[in-house]
Amino acid sequence: MGDVFVTRLAKFLPNDPVSNDDIELYLGLVDDKPSRAKTKILSNNKIKSRYYAIDKEGKSTHSNAQLAAKAVEGLLDEQFTKNDIELLTFGTMSPEQLLPSHTAMIHGELGCPPAEIVSVSSSCASGFQAMKYAYLSVKNGDIKRAVSGASEKVSTWLRGEKFDMETDRLKELEANPMIAFEKDFMRWMLSDGAAAALLENKPNDNGISLRVDFIDIKSYANELPTCMYSGAVRSPNGNLTGWPEFRPEEWGNQSIFSFKQDTRLLGVKIVPMGGQFMKEVFEKHNLTIEGIDWYLPHLSSEYFRERIAEEQEKIGLLFPQEKWFTNLTRVGNVGSVSPYLMLEELFNTGQLKKGQKILVMIPESARFTYIYAHFTVV
C-alpha cells in the first residue's frame, strides 16, 4: 500500500459575501419580525461575512449539486480533466432530495464519464469521511486519482417563510409565535459553499502536495444523545422521531425539516469529548505539539476557541494560538465544507513549506463524531 497525496484543492463560494446587517435581507423575517436572538448569537460566533446561494428574494442561484460541481471544476485543467475522475465522493448535511444520492446529482451535473461514486450523509464530519474513502481507495491501489469534497446549501432551509406555518399555529394556540431558540440559533450560524480535493498516488511534480498520514474518526453516539438534527422531533429524553412518523401538515406546523441544535448539550459535551479523542490520537501516533506546525480546528463559533484551549491545557496538549489557522469569521460556518476551506486557503496562498505538519480537527455535534486528520507538506 502506497502513500496518498492531496495535490489540488479548490473552493466555490457563491455570489457576494453577506454582512451581518444584511442576513435578514436574504433569509427573510419570521412572523415579519426581526430575530431577538440574532445579535447575541452573532456576537458569540464572531462571523462577519458568509455566502448564500440565493438572492434577496430567496430565489436560488445554485443548487447544492451545482455548488459542488463548481468546486470540482476548480480542480480541472489540461493535466487533469473530468475524464480522469475515477472516484467521486462527497459529503453534505443538506441534500436537496432523499434520492438519488447527493454525489449522483453532482456526477450528473459534471457530466463526466461513468465513475465510482460515494455519498456521505452526516453533518460537519461528512466531508472528511468522504475524503477517507477516497484516501483508502487510492492507498490500496484500486485507483490512481480520486476527488473528494463537501458542499452545503442551507440558505433555503433557513428562509423565514419555512417557519410561517409553525408561527401561525402558535398564534392559534395564543402562544408566543417566536420560533424556538434551538431553531433560530441555526439561522445565524450556517451558510453555503463547496470545496473539493484531488487525491493521487504520487505528489505534484512542481509545487507542494500534502501527504495524507492518517484520518482517524470516532463516534460517541453510543454514549451521548442527539444534539443537532433535522427531519425529526426530539423528545426530552433525547430520542428522535423521524419525519415519516408525522402527518404532512405536521411537517410544517412543527418546522420538522429545520436545523435544530440543543445548545445546552453542545456546550457541555462538544469540547471535552474532542479532548478525550485528541489524547488518544496523540498517543496512538506518537504526536507532539512541538512536531505540528499548523492546527486547523473546525470552529462552528469563535465562542469555542477559548474553551478548546482550556481543554487542551487540561489534558497537557495545548496548541499555542500562533499555530492555529481558521477562516470562520470571513467565510462563515459552512458545515462539512469548513475543514476543506481552511485547508484550501493554506494550500493555495503560499503559507505552507515542505516538511511542515498539519493537524485538522473536526467536531460534529449531530451525535458527537470527531475527526483528526494529519498531513505532511511534501
Side-chain angles (χ1 to χ4, degrees):
M1 298 178 73
D3 287 333
V4 181
F5 305 89
V6 175
T7 56
R8 303 182 184 193
L9 285 148
K11 67 175 181 291
F12 182 74
L13 297 171
N15 305 315
D16 295 326
V18 175
S19 70
N20 290 352
D21 291 339
D22 291 340
I23 294 176
E24 285 179 311
L25 296 179
Y26 289 84
L27 299 187
L29 304 176
V30 176
D31 195 35
D32 295 321
K33 298 174 184 176
S35 167
R36 296 182 183 180
K38 172 187 169 185
T39 301
K40 176 66 173 177
I41 295 167
L42 289 172
S43 68
N44 279 332
N45 67 33
K46 293 183 168 54
I47 298 171
K48 303 300 181 187
S49 62
R50 76 284 293 143
Y51 296 81
Y52 295 133
I54 56 174
D55 60 23
K56 291 181 181 179
E57 283 69 49
K59 183 178 179 180
S60 290
T61 59
H62 305 79
S63 70
N64 194 340
Q66 287 170 339
L67 293 174
K70 289 285 188 182
V72 174
E73 288 167 357
L75 300 172
L76 306 178
D77 61 15
E78 293 179 354
Q79 283 72 47
F80 180 69
T81 71
K82 63 175 64 176
N83 295 333
D84 298 315
I85 299 174
E86 299 173 72
L87 166 65
L88 183 66
T89 174
F90 259 73
T92 190
M93 66 176 178
S94 54
E96 293 175 315
Q97 63 287 313
L98 297 178
L99 288 172
S101 77
H102 181 52
T103 306
M105 300 305 291
I106 300 167
H107 186 207
E109 192 69 38
L110 284 168
C112 57
E116 181 181 358
I117 63 169
V118 171
S119 294
V120 180
S121 177
S122 186
S123 181
C124 298
S126 63
F128 264 59
Q129 288 170 327
M131 181 183 283
K132 183 160 187 178
Y133 187 100
Y135 158 64
L136 292 175
S137 296
V138 175
K139 190 171 183 64
N140 71 14
D142 277 356
I143 56 174
K144 295 179 180 178
R145 291 169 159 177
V147 171
S148 75
S151 64
E152 303 292 1
K153 168 76 179 297
V154 299
S155 52
T156 45
W157 300 48
L158 305 174
R159 286 275 302 170
E161 70 262 13
K162 299 296 170 67
F163 302 92
D164 284 348
M165 289 182 66
E166 180 176 3
T167 54
D168 287 345
R169 180 179 63 86
L170 291 172
K171 287 177 182 176
E172 291 174 4
L173 297 172
E174 297 183 354
N176 188 333
M178 289 176 59
I179 60 171
F181 179 78
E182 64 178 3
K183 301 173 185 176
D184 201 19
F185 176 78
M186 302 309 296
R187 299 185 74 222
W188 318 114
M189 296 289 289
L190 300 173
S191 53
D192 303 341
L198 173 61
L199 286 80
E200 301 189 74
N201 63 356
K202 61 180 182 178
N204 285 315
D205 293 331
N206 300 303
I208 63 168
S209 300
L210 304 179
R211 187 184 69 223
V212 185
D213 299 317
F214 64 80
I215 302 174
D216 284 2
I217 304 172
K218 183 168 284 189
S219 163
Y220 293 92
N222 64 310
E223 300 178 21
L224 297 169
T226 300
C227 182
M228 179 183 172
Y229 54 103
S230 174
V233 171
R234 184 176 182 267
S235 64
N237 65 5
N239 291 333
L240 290 190
T241 302
W243 63 271
E245 301 298 323
F246 294 89
R247 296 188 303 275
E249 62 268 22
E250 292 178 293
W251 299 343
N253 286 342
Q254 299 187 54
S255 302
I256 284 177
F257 290 97
S258 64
F259 291 109
K260 297 167 277 285
Q261 179 88 70
D262 182 338
T263 55
R264 291 187 179 89
L265 182 61
L266 178 73
V268 171
K269 292 295 185 180
I270 193 69
V271 173
M273 299 306 289
Q276 177 180 318
F277 187 37
M278 180 182 180
K279 193 170 182 179
E280 294 175 16
V281 168
F282 268 64
E283 291 173 354
K284 174 183 175 182
H285 297 284
N286 296 314
L287 302 180
T288 65
I289 296 297
E290 295 73 24
I292 297 172
D293 301 281
W294 296 93
Y295 174 58
L296 279 58
H298 166 43
L299 303 177
S300 63
S301 168
E302 279 289 331
Y303 169 85
F304 289 110
R305 180 183 292 268
E306 183 178 343
R307 283 143 192 87
I308 291 171
E310 290 171 351
E311 183 66 25
Q312 289 179 351
E313 187 170 23
K314 186 185 301 182
I315 63 175
L317 295 172
L318 176 62
F319 277 103
Q321 287 295 315
E322 58 266 24
K323 290 191 175 188
W324 291 47
F325 179 86
T326 63
N327 53 14
L328 170 74
T329 59
R330 290 180 279 108
V331 302
N333 177 3
V334 199
S336 62
V337 186
S338 289
Y340 280 88
L341 292 176
M342 290 188 290
L343 204 59
E344 185 277 336
E345 186 171 330
L346 261 185
F347 187 87
N348 289 324
T349 54
Q351 299 181 66
L352 295 176
K353 296 179 176 61
K354 290 188 176 183
Q356 289 186 327
K357 309 288 186 180
I358 302 168
L359 184 68
V360 179
M361 185 274 285
I362 306 165
E364 176 181 289
S365 64
R367 197 158 176 178
F368 298 98
T369 295
Y370 297 83
I371 299 178
Y372 285 91
H374 192 276
F375 303 88
T376 299
V377 185
V378 297

